Amino acid sequence: IAFCLDWAGACPEPSGLVYWGNRESHGEAVTITRGGRMGHQQTLRLQLYKAGVAGLHQVVLYLGLRDAARRGHSFAQHVAEYTLCVYDKFGSRHRDIARVTAA
């Protein structure tokens, strides 16, 4: 889940909550796409220009495991690896600005 927050730290409209049931924020500043097997790979895309126009100041990511404690599950059991990548795109070219991978 991605919470799209304004300068006051609030999510001012329902489209500011981006998840599987609402795949894009107001003005398409933040979008979620899937790839790979169901639920195994997701891409969150933030377009800075569109975010500025929409008044978006912060994006807060939340990843939760439903009933994890009751079921005896942990984050490591369900998420083997994640990569956060910030890149610049110009046409069809990409340039990585920062990349963090954790396993």
Side-chain angles (χ1 to χ4, degrees):
I1 298 174
F3 296 92
C4 301
L5 307 179
D6 61 14
W7 284 92
C11 190
E13 53 189 78
S15 67
L17 181 62
V18 182
Y19 64 105
W20 62 269
N22 180 39
R23 297 193 179 272
E24 61 187 43
S25 69
H26 175 69
E28 298 178 2
V30 177
T31 57
I32 290 181
T33 58
R34 281 204 172 132
R37 292 186 300 169
M38 180 67 99
H40 285 220
Q41 183 182 25
Q42 294 185 355
T43 299
L44 177 74
R45 180 179 182 201
L46 168 65
Q47 297 185 61
L48 293 178
Y49 176 77
K50 289 182 178 183
V53 170
L56 178 62
H57 177 65
Q58 297 179 46
V59 176
V60 177
L61 302 178
Y62 171 79
L63 175 65
L65 301 174
R66 189 179 330 172
D67 297 328
R70 184 177 60 78
R71 296 178 183 177
H73 294 178
S74 69
F75 184 80
Q77 288 175 305
H78 295 280
V79 180
E81 178 181 0
Y82 64 89
T83 301
L84 302 172
C85 178
V86 177
Y87 65 88
D88 189 16
K89 180 180 178 190
F90 182 76
S92 63
R93 297 176 292 177
H94 292 80
R95 176 179 57 110
D96 282 1
I97 297 169
R99 179 181 291 268
V100 175
T101 300

